[in-house]
Amino acid sequence: MFEIAEYIGIIAFAISGFFVAVRSKLDFLGVLISVFLTALGGGILRDIAVDKTPYTFTHNIPAIIIIIVMVLLIFFKFHKRDSIENKPLFIVSDSIGLISFSITGALIAIEQELNLTGVLALSFVTAVGGGIIRDIIINEIPFVFKTGFYGTISLLVGLSLYLLNLVDMMHFYPIAVIFVLGVVLRIVAYYKKWSIPLI
């Protein structure tokens, strides 16, 4: 279950990282770094937090997935399209990545027998950590800080998995339901422009 969610998240966030880099007019190296940070940064932070060798450093599949995604996006000339960030492909891929990585973060935290705070923290960091690092490097206010409901959804996913574990229902189908509901919630929140109150 962890690997399924991890690979889905890597594919989805590689796509969104590519679009962000293209919008910022980065060169090829900049695009490559943006894609790798977005797709792998959160997972690296997650694993370091629980004193594990990052999954990306012990498995070749994540890097292979990213390279394949980049080649396909360039081959189909997605970098030549305008305002791609507001298009359904970007919104859906980013939503899938957010929920997938929220799930993997929560799964690792539960596996390490962390409390609720730990589960929420790892769920959040895994989902948005890479994007925060990417945005800081390209000198932007991190996306998660401008779209209030974005990070909130990650926390809700972490909380849901924590509660599933409490009632001993950590099985494929309940987690799959949380995945689908999380993606739908993120997409609806985006198009309805939901947000948390400003201070």
Side-chain angles (χ1 to χ4, degrees), residues 20-21 23-26 30 33-34 37 130-143 145-146:
V20 170
R23 184 254 297 155
S24 298
K25 294 181 171 33
L26 304 185
I33 292 173
S34 174
L37 283 177
I132 290 175
I133 297 172
R134 175 204 65 210
D135 291 343
I136 290 174
I137 287 177
I138 63 178
N139 199 31
E140 288 189 0
I141 297 173
F143 180 74
F145 298 153
K146 298 183 290 184

Side-chain angles (χ1 to χ4, degrees), residues 8-31:
I8 291 173
I10 288 171
I11 293 170
F13 268 6
I15 293 171
S16 65
F18 179 88
F19 292 151
V20 170
V22 169
R23 184 254 297 155
S24 298
K25 294 181 171 33
L26 304 185
D27 62 15
F28 182 79
L29 179 60
V31 173

Side-chain angles (χ1 to χ4, degrees), residues 141-163:
I141 297 173
F143 180 74
V144 67
F145 298 153
K146 298 183 290 184
T147 310
F149 212 70
Y150 189 82
T152 304
I153 293 173
S154 175
L155 295 175
L156 289 174
V157 170
L159 175 61
S160 299
L161 288 180
Y162 179 81
L163 295 176

Side-chain angles (χ1 to χ4, degrees), residues 56-184:
T56 302
F57 297 165
T58 57
H59 296 73
N60 292 322
I61 295 179
I64 293 172
I65 289 174
I66 288 174
I67 292 171
I68 291 173
V69 169
M70 277 196 64
V71 168
L72 289 174
L73 289 172
I74 292 171
F75 179 79
F76 288 107
K77 300 185 184 300
F78 277 94
H79 58 295
K80 299 292 186 182
R81 306 186 184 188
D82 297 326
S83 303
I84 194 71
E85 282 186 273
N86 296 318
K87 299 295 174 60
L89 178 59
F90 176 83
I91 303 306
V92 172
S93 66
D94 191 67
S95 300
I96 291 173
L98 173 73
I99 305 306
S100 296
F101 279 155
S102 296
I103 289 174
T104 65
L107 289 176
I108 290 292
I110 291 169
E111 179 186 277
Q112 297 292 317
E113 299 182 349
L114 302 186
N115 62 12
L116 176 59
T117 301
V119 173
L120 294 180
L122 284 196
S123 182
F124 185 83
V125 166
T126 307
V128 305
I132 290 175
I133 297 172
R134 175 204 65 210
D135 291 343
I136 290 174
I137 287 177
I138 63 178
N139 199 31
E140 288 189 0
I141 297 173
F143 180 74
V144 67
F145 298 153
K146 298 183 290 184
T147 310
F149 212 70
Y150 189 82
T152 304
I153 293 173
S154 175
L155 295 175
L156 289 174
V157 170
L159 175 61
S160 299
L161 288 180
Y162 179 81
L163 295 176
L164 276 184
N165 187 57
L166 284 182
V167 297
D168 196 26
M169 289 184 62
M170 288 290 285
H171 309 298
F172 176 81
Y173 292 109
I175 294 175
V177 169
I178 288 176
F179 172 80
V180 172
L181 291 177
V183 171
V184 171

